Amino acid sequence: MKHIAESTVRRLSLYLRFLEELEGQGRETISSEVLADSGGTTSAQVRKDLSFFGSFGKRGLGYSVTALAKRLREILGLGQPWQVVIIGAGKIGAALAQYRGFRARGFHVVGIFDSDPAKVGRTLDGVTVSDLAQLERELKQLKPQIAVLTVPADVAQELVQRLTKAGVRGILNFAPATLHAPDGVTVRSVNMALELEILSYALAHER
Amino acid sequence: MKHIAESTVRRLSLYLRFLEELEGQGRETISSEVLADSGGTTSAQVRKDLSFFGSFGKRGLGYSVTALAKRLREILGLGQPWQVVIIGAGKIGAALAQYRGFRARGFHVVGIFDSDPAKVGRTLDGVTVSDLAQLERELKQLKPQIAVLTVPADVAQELVQRLTKAGVRGILNFAPATLHAPDGVTVRSVNMALELEILSYALAHER
DNA sequence: CTAACTTTGTGAAGAATTTCACAAGCCCCC
DNA sequence: GGGGGCTTGTGAAATTCTTCACAAAGTTAG
């Protein structure tokens, strides 16, 4: 398949979220126009985004809410559950471990690791924090595809190596560091301070 | 000034982070090439990004680390401190309130609000949680420019209205909702589940 | 069954962003 | 003080992403 831009995938996720809301309300069909408003884009953009994957609509009527939601889940790889481990049981790691939004989307937290003896042994939402020293041993059992990194920046890269070697294919990084991973491993970074800085730029340059 | 793309601003932030590391190491100059590697981009991109704001380098030598860092701080609006309030003292809100990275960048958390009586009155990192019902009254004193929203999605839009009316100019939203704000108010959204979904897409479509 | 209306799917145009490539400027050494 | 070696700054080209605009297809009403 042709390469799909990240911005497109991001919008597909947004469409799906809105479609699931509509499903709950029992709505049957929706037009690209309404879907566009919900995601802050245009109807042409919605149709173009979807057209990369096929044609799911009925002219004159729009899209079937349930059929499109189902298709988007497939496209996004949400048809299957994913096993996720969280590395770092600090404030952010603990918050994420207990975040309902992950499980609701099929992301199952199967392990949490930390090197601080004071945190090892604690239980967060049914999962016990393991010693980071046991990472490799435990990952052999857990076989997670995805890891969430909430560790200090200076150890983040080293953990990418260890996780990659243990078979992890996707890493969501919250440490303020630019990470490098081998081919076949996808790393995404979320940097809260950076988001505030973009806001700062916007406020400083108003008008 | 010509409009600057968000992707450019994002990279400027990354350059600044790396420059500050170099400052700590006492390094004096740096080339666009090295700066590019640190942010996962190309030297041409670095030079183009900087060129929007002037020309700061010396040919044959590169950029002065301290001078460029200083200039980037100005460009990003980090020369001044920003007052920030956090709305929602749940897991994520509390974690952010205590996050050192914010203060280090000049973002000062001056208020935290929640509607849950069990949370009102607690102290997080020196700031006492206030009742959300008192939001308007307290914002008159605090005069924050920025708000961080960590509330359930169904009340997020309503809070955008209240915050905007109270003079907030920038909102960093963690609720999984698409928000609309009047002109002159910037909203940025961080959606952790969505980031995992983008990862899911990448893993599902490998090769 | 027909006509008026709605909405999709998609090439083509347009806009935005990134990459290329090279002249010009500056340093350093001899 | 001249030459070799780097590195910047920047138009132009290439690429990527978004918007336009419209034929085609389906719906609804009468």
mmCIF file of all heavy atoms in Angstrom, chain A residues 4 10 13 17 38 75-77 82 98 105 169 178 184 188 191 195 197 200-201 203 205-206, chain B residues 4 10 13 17 38 75-77 82 91 105 169 178 184 188 191 195 197 200-201 203 205-206:
data_model
loop_
_atom_site.group_PDB
_atom_site.id
_atom_site.type_symbol
_atom_site.label_atom_id
_atom_site.label_comp_id
_atom_site.label_asym_id
_atom_site.label_seq_id
_atom_site.Cartn_x
_atom_site.Cartn_y
_atom_site.Cartn_z
ATOM 1 N N ILE A 4 0.894 6.292 3.840
ATOM 2 C CA ILE A 4 -0.148 7.181 4.345
ATOM 3 C C ILE A 4 0.471 8.160 5.334
ATOM 4 O O ILE A 4 1.225 7.764 6.213
ATOM 5 C CB ILE A 4 -1.243 6.364 5.065
ATOM 6 C CG1 ILE A 4 -1.858 5.340 4.106
ATOM 7 C CG2 ILE A 4 -2.304 7.281 5.634
ATOM 8 C CD1 ILE A 4 -2.612 5.937 2.956
ATOM 9 N N ARG A 10 -3.872 10.321 12.020
ATOM 10 C CA ARG A 10 -4.355 11.071 13.175
ATOM 11 C C ARG A 10 -5.836 11.438 12.993
ATOM 12 O O ARG A 10 -6.646 11.289 13.905
ATOM 13 C CB ARG A 10 -3.508 12.329 13.341
ATOM 14 C CG ARG A 10 -3.865 13.226 14.508
ATOM 15 C CD ARG A 10 -2.879 14.369 14.615
ATOM 16 N NE ARG A 10 -1.555 13.877 14.974
ATOM 17 C CZ ARG A 10 -1.154 13.681 16.235
ATOM 18 N NH1 ARG A 10 -1.973 13.978 17.231
ATOM 19 N NH2 ARG A 10 0.037 13.216 16.492
ATOM 20 N N SER A 13 -8.226 8.504 13.422
ATOM 21 C CA SER A 13 -8.479 8.250 14.841
ATOM 22 C C SER A 13 -9.569 9.167 15.370
ATOM 23 O O SER A 13 -10.445 8.742 16.124
ATOM 24 C CB SER A 13 -7.217 8.497 15.664
ATOM 25 O OG SER A 13 -6.421 7.352 15.697
ATOM 26 N N ARG A 17 -13.293 8.185 16.888
ATOM 27 C CA ARG A 17 -13.800 8.578 18.204
ATOM 28 C C ARG A 17 -15.198 9.160 18.091
ATOM 29 O O ARG A 17 -16.098 8.831 18.864
ATOM 30 C CB ARG A 17 -12.852 9.605 18.835
ATOM 31 C CG ARG A 17 -13.139 9.856 20.279
ATOM 32 C CD ARG A 17 -12.031 10.651 20.924
ATOM 33 N NE ARG A 17 -12.031 12.031 20.468
ATOM 34 C CZ ARG A 17 -10.975 12.831 20.487
ATOM 35 N NH1 ARG A 17 -9.816 12.378 20.924
ATOM 36 N NH2 ARG A 17 -11.053 14.062 20.063
ATOM 37 N N SER A 38 -16.772 17.634 13.156
ATOM 38 C CA SER A 38 -16.412 17.032 14.439
ATOM 39 C C SER A 38 -14.906 16.979 14.630
ATOM 40 O O SER A 38 -14.417 16.986 15.743
ATOM 41 C CB SER A 38 -16.984 15.635 14.535
ATOM 42 O OG SER A 38 -16.151 14.738 13.817
ATOM 43 N N ILE A 75 -8.503 -0.674 9.983
ATOM 44 C CA ILE A 75 -7.417 0.096 9.371
ATOM 45 C C ILE A 75 -6.385 0.506 10.414
ATOM 46 O O ILE A 75 -5.178 0.410 10.196
ATOM 47 C CB ILE A 75 -7.984 1.347 8.665
ATOM 48 C CG1 ILE A 75 -8.784 0.933 7.425
ATOM 49 C CG2 ILE A 75 -6.859 2.313 8.285
ATOM 50 C CD1 ILE A 75 -9.589 2.052 6.800
ATOM 51 N N LEU A 76 -6.868 0.938 11.575
ATOM 52 C CA LEU A 76 -5.965 1.416 12.618
ATOM 53 C C LEU A 76 -5.303 0.271 13.389
ATOM 54 O O LEU A 76 -4.480 0.508 14.274
ATOM 55 C CB LEU A 76 -6.719 2.331 13.594
ATOM 56 C CG LEU A 76 -7.165 3.675 13.012
ATOM 57 C CD1 LEU A 76 -8.090 4.404 13.965
ATOM 58 C CD2 LEU A 76 -5.951 4.536 12.686
ATOM 59 N N GLY A 77 -5.683 -0.958 13.068
ATOM 60 C CA GLY A 77 -5.078 -2.079 13.763
ATOM 61 C C GLY A 77 -5.670 -2.311 15.136
ATOM 62 O O GLY A 77 -5.046 -2.907 16.013
ATOM 63 N N TRP A 82 -3.785 -5.101 21.977
ATOM 64 C CA TRP A 82 -2.332 -4.966 22.048
ATOM 65 C C TRP A 82 -1.890 -5.113 23.498
ATOM 66 O O TRP A 82 -2.568 -4.632 24.401
ATOM 67 C CB TRP A 82 -1.892 -3.583 21.534
ATOM 68 C CG TRP A 82 -2.179 -3.333 20.091
ATOM 69 C CD1 TRP A 82 -3.250 -2.645 19.600
ATOM 70 C CD2 TRP A 82 -1.406 -3.734 18.957
ATOM 71 N NE1 TRP A 82 -3.186 -2.592 18.213
ATOM 72 C CE2 TRP A 82 -2.057 -3.258 17.799
ATOM 73 C CE3 TRP A 82 -0.218 -4.453 18.801
ATOM 74 C CZ2 TRP A 82 -1.570 -3.475 16.510
ATOM 75 C CZ3 TRP A 82 0.267 -4.663 17.520
ATOM 76 C CH2 TRP A 82 -0.411 -4.175 16.388
ATOM 77 N N GLN A 98 -3.300 3.676 35.058
ATOM 78 C CA GLN A 98 -4.687 3.623 35.541
ATOM 79 C C GLN A 98 -5.666 4.324 34.605
ATOM 80 O O GLN A 98 -6.843 4.426 34.901
ATOM 81 C CB GLN A 98 -4.752 4.262 36.931
ATOM 82 C CG GLN A 98 -3.925 3.483 37.937
ATOM 83 C CD GLN A 98 -3.747 4.226 39.245
ATOM 84 O OE1 GLN A 98 -4.683 4.366 40.031
ATOM 85 N NE2 GLN A 98 -2.542 4.734 39.464
ATOM 86 N N ARG A 105 -9.691 1.178 24.371
ATOM 87 C CA ARG A 105 -9.297 1.096 22.972
ATOM 88 C C ARG A 105 -8.572 -0.187 22.633
ATOM 89 O O ARG A 105 -7.993 -0.312 21.551
ATOM 90 C CB ARG A 105 -8.381 2.280 22.644
ATOM 91 C CG ARG A 105 -9.085 3.605 22.678
ATOM 92 C CD ARG A 105 -10.256 3.608 21.743
ATOM 93 N NE ARG A 105 -10.526 4.971 21.319
ATOM 94 C CZ ARG A 105 -11.073 5.266 20.153
ATOM 95 N NH1 ARG A 105 -11.397 4.307 19.325
ATOM 96 N NH2 ARG A 105 -11.300 6.507 19.852
ATOM 97 N N ARG A 169 7.913 -3.619 19.378
ATOM 98 C CA ARG A 169 7.911 -3.039 18.034
ATOM 99 C C ARG A 169 7.476 -1.575 17.997
ATOM 100 O O ARG A 169 7.618 -0.908 16.989
ATOM 101 C CB ARG A 169 6.990 -3.838 17.091
ATOM 102 C CG ARG A 169 7.049 -5.338 17.237
ATOM 103 C CD ARG A 169 8.467 -5.874 17.011
ATOM 104 N NE ARG A 169 9.142 -5.250 15.890
ATOM 105 C CZ ARG A 169 8.967 -5.591 14.626
ATOM 106 N NH1 ARG A 169 8.114 -6.532 14.287
ATOM 107 N NH2 ARG A 169 9.649 -4.989 13.676
ATOM 108 N N THR A 178 15.268 12.875 22.271
ATOM 109 C CA THR A 178 15.070 12.372 20.907
ATOM 110 C C THR A 178 15.673 10.986 20.829
ATOM 111 O O THR A 178 16.870 10.820 21.051
ATOM 112 C CB THR A 178 15.746 13.309 19.892
ATOM 113 O OG1 THR A 178 15.201 14.621 20.035
ATOM 114 C CG2 THR A 178 15.500 12.821 18.468
ATOM 115 N N GLY A 184 12.045 -0.978 11.659
ATOM 116 C CA GLY A 184 11.055 -1.944 12.084
ATOM 117 C C GLY A 184 10.502 -1.643 13.461
ATOM 118 O O GLY A 184 9.539 -2.267 13.902
ATOM 119 N N ARG A 188 7.282 7.016 18.963
ATOM 120 C CA ARG A 188 6.575 8.286 18.948
ATOM 121 C C ARG A 188 6.845 8.987 20.267
ATOM 122 O O ARG A 188 6.882 8.351 21.311
ATOM 123 C CB ARG A 188 5.064 8.088 18.814
ATOM 124 C CG ARG A 188 4.641 7.485 17.498
ATOM 125 C CD ARG A 188 3.147 7.570 17.331
ATOM 126 N NE ARG A 188 2.689 8.939 17.479
ATOM 127 C CZ ARG A 188 2.869 9.898 16.575
ATOM 128 N NH1 ARG A 188 3.445 9.607 15.442
ATOM 129 N NH2 ARG A 188 2.452 11.113 16.798
ATOM 130 N N ASN A 191 5.732 15.172 24.328
ATOM 131 C CA ASN A 191 6.563 16.011 25.174
ATOM 132 C C ASN A 191 5.726 17.180 25.662
ATOM 133 O O ASN A 191 5.446 18.115 24.925
ATOM 134 C CB ASN A 191 7.761 16.488 24.357
ATOM 135 C CG ASN A 191 8.734 17.253 25.198
ATOM 136 O OD1 ASN A 191 8.346 17.928 26.150
ATOM 137 N ND2 ASN A 191 9.999 17.144 24.865
ATOM 138 N N GLU A 195 4.821 21.019 24.140
ATOM 139 C CA GLU A 195 3.479 21.498 23.745
ATOM 140 C C GLU A 195 3.213 22.873 24.348
ATOM 141 O O GLU A 195 2.646 23.748 23.694
ATOM 142 C CB GLU A 195 2.400 20.519 24.206
ATOM 143 C CG GLU A 195 2.514 19.116 23.631
ATOM 144 C CD GLU A 195 2.339 19.074 22.111
ATOM 145 O OE1 GLU A 195 1.610 19.914 21.556
ATOM 146 O OE2 GLU A 195 2.965 18.205 21.478
ATOM 147 N N GLU A 197 5.458 25.005 25.017
ATOM 148 C CA GLU A 197 6.306 25.969 24.320
ATOM 149 C C GLU A 197 5.688 26.401 22.992
ATOM 150 O O GLU A 197 5.812 27.555 22.584
ATOM 151 C CB GLU A 197 7.702 25.385 24.106
ATOM 152 C CG GLU A 197 8.465 25.326 25.416
ATOM 153 C CD GLU A 197 9.848 24.737 25.272
ATOM 154 O OE1 GLU A 197 10.391 24.739 24.165
ATOM 155 O OE2 GLU A 197 10.381 24.274 26.284
ATOM 156 N N SER A 200 3.295 28.840 23.958
ATOM 157 C CA SER A 200 4.018 30.064 24.300
ATOM 158 C C SER A 200 4.361 30.852 23.049
ATOM 159 O O SER A 200 4.182 32.076 22.983
ATOM 160 C CB SER A 200 5.293 29.690 25.066
ATOM 161 O OG SER A 200 6.165 30.796 25.156
ATOM 162 N N TYR A 201 4.839 30.154 22.028
ATOM 163 C CA TYR A 201 5.158 30.822 20.771
ATOM 164 C C TYR A 201 3.924 31.527 20.205
ATOM 165 O O TYR A 201 3.984 32.688 19.805
ATOM 166 C CB TYR A 201 5.698 29.823 19.733
ATOM 167 C CG TYR A 201 5.916 30.469 18.386
ATOM 168 C CD1 TYR A 201 7.111 31.113 18.082
ATOM 169 C CD2 TYR A 201 4.895 30.508 17.439
ATOM 170 C CE1 TYR A 201 7.298 31.754 16.872
ATOM 171 C CE2 TYR A 201 5.069 31.146 16.216
ATOM 172 C CZ TYR A 201 6.271 31.773 15.945
ATOM 173 O OH TYR A 201 6.438 32.420 14.753
ATOM 174 N N LEU A 203 1.238 32.545 21.745
ATOM 175 C CA LEU A 203 0.815 33.696 22.557
ATOM 176 C C LEU A 203 1.767 34.870 22.364
ATOM 177 O O LEU A 203 1.339 36.021 22.313
ATOM 178 C CB LEU A 203 0.764 33.318 24.038
ATOM 179 C CG LEU A 203 -0.179 32.203 24.443
ATOM 180 C CD1 LEU A 203 -0.443 32.247 25.937
ATOM 181 C CD2 LEU A 203 -1.489 32.245 23.695
ATOM 182 N N HIS A 205 3.378 35.665 19.778
ATOM 183 C CA HIS A 205 3.360 36.221 18.418
ATOM 184 C C HIS A 205 1.968 36.564 17.941
ATOM 185 O O HIS A 205 1.728 36.646 16.741
ATOM 186 C CB HIS A 205 3.999 35.234 17.450
ATOM 187 C CG HIS A 205 5.464 35.085 17.660
ATOM 188 N ND1 HIS A 205 6.399 35.619 16.812
ATOM 189 C CD2 HIS A 205 6.169 34.489 18.648
ATOM 190 C CE1 HIS A 205 7.608 35.330 17.268
ATOM 191 N NE2 HIS A 205 7.495 34.649 18.372
ATOM 192 N N GLU A 206 1.050 36.743 18.855
ATOM 193 C CA GLU A 206 -0.321 37.046 18.449
ATOM 194 C C GLU A 206 -0.381 38.317 17.620
ATOM 195 O O GLU A 206 0.321 39.271 17.908
ATOM 196 C CB GLU A 206 -1.207 37.197 19.678
ATOM 197 C CG GLU A 206 -1.839 35.889 20.065
ATOM 198 C CD GLU A 206 -2.691 36.056 21.289
ATOM 199 O OE1 GLU A 206 -2.793 37.185 21.808
ATOM 200 O OE2 GLU A 206 -3.262 35.042 21.736
ATOM 201 N N ILE B 4 4.575 31.147 10.468
ATOM 202 C CA ILE B 4 5.534 30.067 10.675
ATOM 203 C C ILE B 4 4.780 28.771 10.949
ATOM 204 O O ILE B 4 3.861 28.753 11.766
ATOM 205 C CB ILE B 4 6.452 30.390 11.870
ATOM 206 C CG1 ILE B 4 7.187 31.716 11.626
ATOM 207 C CG2 ILE B 4 7.441 29.260 12.120
ATOM 208 C CD1 ILE B 4 8.164 31.686 10.488
ATOM 209 N N ARG B 10 7.923 23.487 16.470
ATOM 210 C CA ARG B 10 8.227 22.265 17.211
ATOM 211 C C ARG B 10 9.722 21.955 17.134
ATOM 212 O O ARG B 10 10.355 21.623 18.135
ATOM 213 C CB ARG B 10 7.401 21.115 16.608
ATOM 214 C CG ARG B 10 7.596 19.762 17.241
ATOM 215 C CD ARG B 10 6.625 18.754 16.614
ATOM 216 N NE ARG B 10 5.246 19.084 16.932
ATOM 217 C CZ ARG B 10 4.639 18.684 18.041
ATOM 218 N NH1 ARG B 10 5.288 17.919 18.902
ATOM 219 N NH2 ARG B 10 3.402 19.020 18.292
ATOM 220 N N SER B 13 11.876 24.210 19.312
ATOM 221 C CA SER B 13 11.876 23.748 20.703
ATOM 222 C C SER B 13 12.887 22.636 20.913
ATOM 223 O O SER B 13 13.596 22.611 21.926
ATOM 224 C CB SER B 13 10.491 23.208 21.086
ATOM 225 O OG SER B 13 9.669 24.225 21.538
ATOM 226 N N ARG B 17 16.250 22.589 23.346
ATOM 227 C CA ARG B 17 16.523 21.600 24.382
ATOM 228 C C ARG B 17 17.951 21.068 24.254
ATOM 229 O O ARG B 17 18.673 20.952 25.247
ATOM 230 C CB ARG B 17 15.521 20.449 24.276
ATOM 231 C CG ARG B 17 15.560 19.540 25.464
ATOM 232 C CD ARG B 17 14.403 18.584 25.461
ATOM 233 N NE ARG B 17 14.534 17.606 24.391
ATOM 234 C CZ ARG B 17 13.518 16.939 23.850
ATOM 235 N NH1 ARG B 17 12.294 17.167 24.273
ATOM 236 N NH2 ARG B 17 13.719 16.055 22.909
ATOM 237 N N SER B 38 20.690 15.848 16.276
ATOM 238 C CA SER B 38 20.078 15.784 17.608
ATOM 239 C C SER B 38 18.562 15.836 17.537
ATOM 240 O O SER B 38 17.872 15.327 18.399
ATOM 241 C CB SER B 38 20.578 16.948 18.450
ATOM 242 O OG SER B 38 19.846 18.118 18.130
ATOM 243 N N ILE B 75 12.432 33.902 20.727
ATOM 244 C CA ILE B 75 11.503 33.571 19.642
ATOM 245 C C ILE B 75 10.315 32.773 20.169
ATOM 246 O O ILE B 75 9.168 33.018 19.812
ATOM 247 C CB ILE B 75 12.233 32.763 18.542
ATOM 248 C CG1 ILE B 75 13.226 33.673 17.810
ATOM 249 C CG2 ILE B 75 11.243 32.157 17.571
ATOM 250 C CD1 ILE B 75 14.177 32.930 16.889
ATOM 251 N N LEU B 76 10.601 31.818 21.046
ATOM 252 C CA LEU B 76 9.539 30.954 21.568
ATOM 253 C C LEU B 76 8.703 31.633 22.653
ATOM 254 O O LEU B 76 7.738 31.057 23.148
ATOM 255 C CB LEU B 76 10.141 29.655 22.106
ATOM 256 C CG LEU B 76 10.723 28.719 21.040
ATOM 257 C CD1 LEU B 76 11.496 27.582 21.682
ATOM 258 C CD2 LEU B 76 9.615 28.165 20.141
ATOM 259 N N GLY B 77 9.086 32.837 23.013
ATOM 260 C CA GLY B 77 8.312 33.526 24.042
ATOM 261 C C GLY B 77 8.643 33.056 25.443
ATOM 262 O O GLY B 77 7.855 33.197 26.371
ATOM 263 N N TRP B 82 5.447 32.370 32.336
ATOM 264 C CA TRP B 82 4.004 32.294 32.080
ATOM 265 C C TRP B 82 3.305 31.765 33.321
ATOM 266 O O TRP B 82 3.824 30.881 33.996
ATOM 267 C CB TRP B 82 3.720 31.349 30.902
ATOM 268 C CG TRP B 82 4.274 31.792 29.593
ATOM 269 C CD1 TRP B 82 5.439 31.371 29.024
ATOM 270 C CD2 TRP B 82 3.698 32.727 28.673
ATOM 271 N NE1 TRP B 82 5.617 31.990 27.804
ATOM 272 C CE2 TRP B 82 4.565 32.821 27.560
ATOM 273 C CE3 TRP B 82 2.524 33.491 28.665
ATOM 274 C CZ2 TRP B 82 4.309 33.642 26.467
ATOM 275 C CZ3 TRP B 82 2.274 34.296 27.572
ATOM 276 C CH2 TRP B 82 3.153 34.386 26.493
ATOM 277 N N LYS B 91 -5.551 12.088 38.329
ATOM 278 C CA LYS B 91 -4.216 11.502 38.210
ATOM 279 C C LYS B 91 -3.302 12.332 37.296
ATOM 280 O O LYS B 91 -2.183 12.675 37.664
ATOM 281 C CB LYS B 91 -4.318 10.081 37.657
ATOM 282 C CG LYS B 91 -5.035 9.119 38.572
ATOM 283 C CD LYS B 91 -4.075 8.458 39.531
ATOM 284 C CE LYS B 91 -4.807 7.852 40.717
ATOM 285 N NZ LYS B 91 -6.150 7.290 40.379
ATOM 286 N N ARG B 105 11.100 25.437 32.495
ATOM 287 C CA ARG B 105 10.949 26.179 31.253
ATOM 288 C C ARG B 105 10.246 27.509 31.444
ATOM 289 O O ARG B 105 9.880 28.168 30.475
ATOM 290 C CB ARG B 105 10.143 25.351 30.254
ATOM 291 C CG ARG B 105 10.887 24.127 29.789
ATOM 292 C CD ARG B 105 12.203 24.505 29.180
ATOM 293 N NE ARG B 105 12.591 23.491 28.201
ATOM 294 C CZ ARG B 105 13.341 23.752 27.168
ATOM 295 N NH1 ARG B 105 13.811 24.956 26.981
ATOM 296 N NH2 ARG B 105 13.658 22.796 26.325
ATOM 297 N N ARG B 169 -5.509 32.855 27.336
ATOM 298 C CA ARG B 169 -5.259 32.972 25.891
ATOM 299 C C ARG B 169 -4.766 31.692 25.244
ATOM 300 O O ARG B 169 -4.694 31.588 24.031
ATOM 301 C CB ARG B 169 -4.230 34.069 25.622
ATOM 302 C CG ARG B 169 -4.362 35.332 26.431
ATOM 303 C CD ARG B 169 -5.726 35.994 26.232
ATOM 304 N NE ARG B 169 -6.168 36.012 24.855
ATOM 305 C CZ ARG B 169 -5.797 36.916 23.963
ATOM 306 N NH1 ARG B 169 -4.977 37.865 24.305
ATOM 307 N NH2 ARG B 169 -6.239 36.855 22.747
ATOM 308 N N THR B 178 -12.588 17.279 20.718
ATOM 309 C CA THR B 178 -12.178 18.344 19.803
ATOM 310 C C THR B 178 -12.820 19.636 20.280
ATOM 311 O O THR B 178 -14.040 19.742 20.340
ATOM 312 C CB THR B 178 -12.629 18.031 18.366
ATOM 313 O OG1 THR B 178 -12.079 16.775 17.981
ATOM 314 C CG2 THR B 178 -12.141 19.103 17.399
ATOM 315 N N GLY B 184 -8.104 34.335 18.662
ATOM 316 C CA GLY B 184 -7.234 34.948 19.654
ATOM 317 C C GLY B 184 -6.938 34.007 20.807
ATOM 318 O O GLY B 184 -6.101 34.288 21.643
ATOM 319 N N ARG B 188 -4.403 23.637 22.042
ATOM 320 C CA ARG B 188 -3.644 22.487 21.554
ATOM 321 C C ARG B 188 -4.104 21.267 22.319
ATOM 322 O O ARG B 188 -4.343 21.342 23.516
ATOM 323 C CB ARG B 188 -2.138 22.660 21.797
ATOM 324 C CG ARG B 188 -1.519 23.805 21.013
ATOM 325 C CD ARG B 188 -0.008 23.760 21.086
ATOM 326 N NE ARG B 188 0.474 22.464 20.684
ATOM 327 C CZ ARG B 188 0.510 22.041 19.420
ATOM 328 N NH1 ARG B 188 0.124 22.844 18.467
ATOM 329 N NH2 ARG B 188 0.939 20.843 19.139
ATOM 330 N N ASN B 191 -3.463 13.852 23.105
ATOM 331 C CA ASN B 191 -4.395 12.754 23.306
ATOM 332 C C ASN B 191 -3.598 11.455 23.313
ATOM 333 O O ASN B 191 -3.149 10.968 22.290
ATOM 334 C CB ASN B 191 -5.403 12.779 22.153
ATOM 335 C CG ASN B 191 -6.476 11.746 22.338
ATOM 336 O OD1 ASN B 191 -6.231 10.687 22.898
ATOM 337 N ND2 ASN B 191 -7.662 12.056 21.874
ATOM 338 N N GLU B 195 -2.264 8.754 20.357
ATOM 339 C CA GLU B 195 -0.864 8.465 20.040
ATOM 340 C C GLU B 195 -0.642 6.955 19.954
ATOM 341 O O GLU B 195 0.068 6.471 19.078
ATOM 342 C CB GLU B 195 0.064 9.063 21.098
ATOM 343 C CG GLU B 195 -0.013 10.576 21.234
ATOM 344 C CD GLU B 195 0.442 11.316 19.981
ATOM 345 O OE1 GLU B 195 1.299 10.784 19.260
ATOM 346 O OE2 GLU B 195 -0.091 12.413 19.714
ATOM 347 N N GLU B 197 -2.858 4.863 19.110
ATOM 348 C CA GLU B 197 -3.522 4.380 17.905
ATOM 349 C C GLU B 197 -2.652 4.601 16.669
ATOM 350 O O GLU B 197 -2.651 3.777 15.754
ATOM 351 C CB GLU B 197 -4.886 5.053 17.746
ATOM 352 C CG GLU B 197 -5.863 4.526 18.770
ATOM 353 C CD GLU B 197 -7.226 5.161 18.667
ATOM 354 O OE1 GLU B 197 -7.587 5.691 17.605
ATOM 355 O OE2 GLU B 197 -7.951 5.117 19.669
ATOM 356 N N SER B 200 -0.361 1.886 16.793
ATOM 357 C CA SER B 200 -1.081 0.678 16.387
ATOM 358 C C SER B 200 -1.158 0.586 14.865
ATOM 359 O O SER B 200 -0.908 -0.464 14.269
ATOM 360 C CB SER B 200 -2.490 0.698 16.984
ATOM 361 O OG SER B 200 -3.305 -0.283 16.389
ATOM 362 N N TYR B 201 -1.473 1.712 14.236
ATOM 363 C CA TYR B 201 -1.534 1.733 12.767
ATOM 364 C C TYR B 201 -0.187 1.328 12.176
ATOM 365 O O TYR B 201 -0.105 0.495 11.272
ATOM 366 C CB TYR B 201 -1.930 3.112 12.251
ATOM 367 C CG TYR B 201 -1.867 3.196 10.743
ATOM 368 C CD1 TYR B 201 -2.947 2.821 9.964
ATOM 369 C CD2 TYR B 201 -0.697 3.599 10.098
ATOM 370 C CE1 TYR B 201 -2.876 2.842 8.582
ATOM 371 C CE2 TYR B 201 -0.616 3.621 8.722
ATOM 372 C CZ TYR B 201 -1.704 3.242 7.965
ATOM 373 O OH TYR B 201 -1.625 3.252 6.607
ATOM 374 N N LEU B 203 2.238 -0.412 13.496
ATOM 375 C CA LEU B 203 2.557 -1.820 13.729
ATOM 376 C C LEU B 203 1.712 -2.733 12.844
ATOM 377 O O LEU B 203 2.198 -3.738 12.323
ATOM 378 C CB LEU B 203 2.324 -2.187 15.197
ATOM 379 C CG LEU B 203 3.132 -1.438 16.251
ATOM 380 C CD1 LEU B 203 3.129 -2.196 17.560
ATOM 381 C CD2 LEU B 203 4.555 -1.193 15.810
ATOM 382 N N HIS B 205 0.620 -2.146 9.946
ATOM 383 C CA HIS B 205 0.896 -2.011 8.515
ATOM 384 C C HIS B 205 2.364 -2.167 8.175
ATOM 385 O O HIS B 205 2.809 -1.707 7.130
ATOM 386 C CB HIS B 205 0.409 -0.646 8.019
ATOM 387 C CG HIS B 205 -1.075 -0.540 8.012
ATOM 388 N ND1 HIS B 205 -1.813 -0.557 6.869
ATOM 389 C CD2 HIS B 205 -1.965 -0.448 9.028
ATOM 390 C CE1 HIS B 205 -3.104 -0.464 7.177
ATOM 391 N NE2 HIS B 205 -3.215 -0.387 8.482
ATOM 392 N N GLU B 206 3.120 -2.779 9.060
ATOM 393 C CA GLU B 206 4.534 -2.917 8.782
ATOM 394 C C GLU B 206 4.763 -3.685 7.491
ATOM 395 O O GLU B 206 4.092 -4.663 7.210
ATOM 396 C CB GLU B 206 5.217 -3.660 9.935
ATOM 397 C CG GLU B 206 5.729 -2.693 10.976
ATOM 398 C CD GLU B 206 6.384 -3.437 12.118
ATOM 399 O OE1 GLU B 206 6.437 -4.661 12.058
ATOM 400 O OE2 GLU B 206 6.829 -2.754 13.056
#
